[in-house]
Amino acid sequence: MADPTVQATGVHKWFGQTHVLRGIDLTVAPGQIVGIIGPSGSGKSTFLRCINHLETIDAGDILFQGKSVARRLLKDRPFEIDEKSVCDLRSRMGMVFQQFHLFPHLTALQNVMLGPVNVLKQKKGEAEQIATDLLKRVGLADRGHHFPAQLSGGQQQRVAIARALAMNPALMLFDEPTSALDPELVGEVLAVIRQLAETGMTMIIVTHEMQFVQEIADQVLFMDNGVVVERGTCRQVFKDPREARTRDFLARVAHYPKQEREGEAGRTLKV
Amino acid sequence: MSLSIARDTAETELRQEQAVSRTKLAHKRHWGEIVASVLVVVVAAFIIHAIVVNKNMQWHVVWSYFGSHVIITALLVTLELSLVSQAIAIVLGILLAAMGQARNPVMRTAQQGYIWLFRGTPLLVQLLFWYNLALLFPNISLGIPFTHLYLFQESTNSVITGFVASILGLALNEGAYMAEIVRSGILAVPKGQLDAGSSLGMRRRRVFRKIVLPQAVRVMIPPTGNQFIGLLKASSLVSVIGGGDLLTRVEYIYGQNFLVIPLLLVASIWYLVLTSLATIGQHFLERALDVEKRGPRSERLGPRWLRNLRPGKEGVSYG
């Protein structure tokens, strides 16, 4: 049996005096899709950022494909992980941010090519070919030579997804990928993620799109105040929540109209 | 692809809308404005007249020296001083800014100390110090510290000529300012850019070179242009240590023939030409680096520049 893609045990994190993660456990098997939901400030984005070491952790450990992303042992003493190992781990995970964070000085194509050329040492021509194919996959074949500022939010986020995929990752991390988008642009981004799910990509998605999570996730975590309040399959968490806090949260977000938008997405984007 | 079709339709609609002629609105005239404008024109005309007809200006002397060999040679020295100093200052600024970002407190303190010293003392004083370095260290040598093994040894006065002292003074002083400009440029790059770069698995240094620096440079251009114009003028200070620049030469000439005003005019006009050219250069540099307003990547600086030089074409004009 292969190592789980991600195995987090007892992860704690402080920001100064604030205890933002209070013992998070999570196991993600290869090919699994995990949805993390919960109110703002519950620590879900922070936890996601810990997985690729954008944030350090203060206790516990996170293993990615069997290797710690947080520390290494030198003569049995734990040391902070070195830069090379971090970069190595990160090169096998893709991350998509809420605010896209495309590189504004590079075209869409160059954004996608940057990682493969600089980290995977691909030849320019080869990288360009792969990048072109990826842009086609996210429905932006004709936008390769545009700069991020000339693209809509939804298009930018799709380029960001292509940029992460260009590294040929074993795991994709999505940090609220649709939260910064105008409502009518959410559908096109979700369609790309849905299509990615169909290819069997291992993913962890932090999101407020409840409908979408139910549609694609194998496992759902509801986080509040730095702890995992409830976890299980979509059916368990959404249809039959055991905890009062989960029920409260789901009731509060239930008013958000998502149905029609999902329908819209299916019609406008065929990738 | 249905998305691109939607986009095309939108573009067609936009073009049609632009075909509709716009109404030009007239401005209401204000009497105060008109009176003030007339006053300004009269005063300006008066001043210009007073200068042009003033015999002491000796315009014929001005023009006889303006393009002379001595002046052009000196002009090139000024240009060389400014360009070389600015180049060194930019490298120094990047180094200092990197030191300021270092985790090591010794590096950070050294950086702060440098800026404190070179920004806190007058440039003129610094230039005099460099020129008189021989009084402090009569010999300059390169070797292993605390031993008598030397690779190179020379008397300070033969190494630190007026020109070298000028470069040292201008560059080291300018470097302190450039460090602050580079720092502000780096701070202007959103932190998310670093996250995105590192999440691709790039090393810190590569993230800095490929992502932070290109974006920081865009922010750095306007203040750097400003500094360079300042440096062009500040380079005239080296006349006190015989830097051989435009002002040194002009002072030398009028020291012999007493044609003070015309020769100062020669220098002033040349300084104006240099600073104007620098302004134009800065403008083009800013435009070239302003990727966000640029269309799909096609037109590079070269062709655009040539196009702008052609008369009667749309573009920027410096009339």
Side-chain angles (χ1 to χ4, degrees):
Chain A
M1 183 64 200
D3 282 318
T5 305
V6 176
Q7 185 158 35
T9 40
V11 174
H12 284 261
K13 166 90 188 160
W14 278 265
F15 281 131
Q17 293 299 307
T18 326
H19 197 172
V20 289
L21 298 178
R22 306 156 181 252
I24 308 286
D25 299 314
L26 173 68
T27 305
V28 186
Q32 243 195 355
I33 298 173
V34 177
I36 304 182
I37 59 170
S40 318
S42 58
K44 32 188 212 315
S45 287
T46 306
F47 177 59
L48 200 72
R49 290 168 61 85
C50 288
I51 296 176
N52 72 351
H53 200 78
L54 283 181
E55 302 288 350
T56 55
I57 60 177
D58 297 316
D61 205 353
I62 300 176
L63 304 183
F64 171 66
Q65 296 183 326
K67 268 187 160 170
S68 173
V69 304
R71 48 187 58 93
R72 59 185 171 142
L73 293 178
L74 279 183
K75 293 183 181 147
D76 292 334
R77 261 184 74 198
F79 274 81
E80 198 186 326
I81 188 171
D82 60 299
E83 199 192 359
K84 189 176 177 306
S85 312
V86 171
C87 290
D88 192 46
L89 291 163
R90 282 175 180 158
S91 69
R92 287 178 283 134
M93 299 185 217
M95 184 148 189
V96 174
F97 301 87
Q98 183 178 349
Q99 302 289 345
F100 332 132
H101 298 328
L102 287 184
F103 308 127
H105 59 298
L106 302 177
T107 63
L109 203 61
Q110 290 169 330
N111 263 277
V112 181
M113 286 166 60
L114 189 73
V117 169
N118 284 287
V119 181
L120 304 179
K121 308 291 172 203
Q122 282 177 9
K123 293 264 181 299
K124 276 247 166 80
E126 183 193 356
E128 188 167 343
Q129 187 54 52
I130 296 172
T132 310
D133 288 347
L134 279 166
L135 285 178
K136 199 184 289 173
R137 248 176 88 183
V138 300
L140 294 171
D142 56 339
R143 291 287 180 269
H145 295 285
H146 284 62
F147 285 92
Q150 299 160 339
L151 300 172
S152 73
Q155 291 173 331
Q156 287 189 51
Q157 191 63 300
R158 285 186 280 149
V159 173
I161 294 174
R163 177 176 68 180
L165 288 176
M167 298 297 290
N168 197 15
L171 169 70
M172 284 287 284
L173 305 169
F174 289 91
D175 186 5
E176 304 198 22
T178 56
S179 298
L181 295 175
D182 290 340
E184 81 272 17
L185 302 176
V186 171
E188 62 189 59
V189 171
L190 293 184
V192 168
I193 302 175
R194 189 180 294 118
Q195 172 217 352
L196 195 58
E198 282 159 13
T199 67
M201 176 65 76
T202 316
M203 306 198 266
I204 304 179
I205 306 175
V206 169
T207 185
H208 292 291
E209 300 287 331
M210 301 303 151
Q211 194 73 37
F212 184 66
V213 170
Q214 294 185 52
E215 192 189 318
I216 70 162
D218 303 304
Q219 190 188 161
V220 182
L221 268 65
F222 169 63
M223 280 180 68
D224 191 14
N225 220 356
V227 293
V228 176
V229 176
E230 188 154 358
R231 71 173 76 213
T233 62
C234 293
R235 173 172 287 278
Q236 276 168 357
V237 176
F238 285 101
K239 305 289 182 249
D240 187 21
R242 275 161 293 163
E243 302 289 330
R245 270 196 280 177
T246 318
R247 281 197 292 274
D248 281 356
F249 175 73
L250 291 175
R252 258 181 288 134
V253 296
H255 306 291
Y256 202 51
K258 259 160 265 108
Q259 304 280 5
E260 44 206 287
R261 203 165 64 220
E262 290 292 316
E264 183 104 7
R267 260 187 291 121
T268 50
L269 192 89
K270 297 180 204 79
V271 258
Chain B
M1 190 112 319
S2 45
L3 266 183
S4 61
I5 292 166
R7 177 83 179 213
D8 286 350
T9 328
E11 274 165 15
T12 324
E13 278 169 16
L14 195 71
R15 231 172 288 132
Q16 280 166 352
E17 196 159 319
Q18 279 166 349
V20 177
S21 67
R22 290 192 233 162
T23 328
K24 193 152 190 208
L25 296 178
H27 288 283
K28 191 168 182 292
R29 295 215 183 285
H30 297 279
W31 283 109
E33 248 172 56
I34 295 170
V35 172
S37 310
V38 169
L39 222 60
V40 167
V41 170
V42 169
V43 171
F46 180 75
I47 293 173
I48 292 170
H49 176 78
I51 290 173
V52 172
V53 302
N54 189 330
K55 289 229 167 54
N56 294 331
M57 303 294 282
Q58 304 181 64
W59 287 105
H60 61 281
V61 180
V62 172
W63 301 128
S64 72
Y65 274 103
F66 192 73
S68 70
H69 183 69
V70 203
I71 294 296
I72 296 297
T73 315
L75 183 73
L76 290 178
V77 173
T78 287
L79 209 54
E80 193 181 354
L81 274 176
S82 308
L83 287 172
V84 171
S85 304
Q86 185 67 53
I88 297 174
I90 288 173
V91 175
L92 202 59
I94 293 174
L95 275 175
L96 285 166
M99 279 171 77
Q101 304 258 303
R103 291 204 194 118
N104 187 332
V106 177
M107 295 294 231
R108 286 205 308 271
T109 312
Q111 185 251 16
Q112 282 159 11
Y114 181 94
I115 293 176
W116 172 76
L117 184 66
F118 282 90
R119 211 169 55 167
T121 53
L123 174 58
L124 187 54
V125 176
Q126 288 174 32
L127 284 167
L128 289 167
F129 255 113
W130 286 113
Y131 191 58
N132 294 302
L133 196 68
L135 301 177
L136 195 56
F137 305 105
N139 290 301
I140 292 178
S141 57
L142 186 68
I144 301 158
F146 310 114
T147 67
H148 292 285
L149 301 167
Y150 297 116
L151 294 170
F152 160 91
Q153 194 165 15
E154 197 70 64
S155 90
T156 302
N157 273 335
S158 66
V159 178
I160 308 287
T161 60
F163 185 77
V164 173
S166 305
I167 293 271
L168 276 173
L170 292 172
L172 295 186
N173 179 268
E174 182 77 0
Y177 290 91
M178 282 311 299
E180 290 296 288
I181 289 173
V182 174
R183 188 179 72 98
S184 63
I186 290 171
L187 287 180
V189 179
K191 205 183 151 285
Q193 291 289 313
L194 298 176
D195 285 350
S198 4
S199 77
L200 290 173
M202 290 202 276
R203 299 281 197 105
R204 270 165 60 107
R205 194 171 294 186
R206 199 184 287 270
V207 171
F208 182 77
R209 236 185 41 228
K210 295 279 175 181
I211 294 165
V212 177
L213 207 55
Q215 294 184 57
V217 162
R218 225 174 36 197
V219 182
M220 282 154 46
I221 295 292
T224 305
N226 229 5
Q227 283 296 120
F228 181 64
I229 288 169
L231 187 62
L232 272 173
K233 295 178 293 174
S235 70
S236 63
L237 284 176
V238 308
S239 61
V240 297
I241 57 170
D245 75 318
L246 190 53
L247 191 62
T248 312
R249 196 55 59 186
V250 159
E251 279 181 342
Y252 180 75
I253 300 172
Y254 72 58
Q256 290 179 329
N257 63 14
F258 304 107
L259 297 167
V260 181
I261 294 295
L263 278 155
L264 283 178
L265 272 174
V266 168
S268 305
I269 294 169
W270 271 122
Y271 279 119
L272 275 172
V273 169
L274 289 183
T275 50
S276 307
L277 285 175
T279 312
I280 294 171
Q282 178 189 342
H283 177 88
F284 278 113
L285 211 54
E286 274 174 39
R287 270 173 56 119
L289 290 169
D290 190 5
V291 286
E292 287 178 16
K293 286 201 194 113
R294 190 158 62 176
R297 190 175 183 147
S298 56
E299 203 183 21
R300 296 301 203 93
L301 177 62
R304 187 206 312 253
W305 200 70
L306 287 174
R307 185 169 54 92
N308 282 327
L309 285 180
R310 255 179 273 144
K313 276 274 185 181
E314 222 182 276
V316 231
S317 64
Y318 300 92

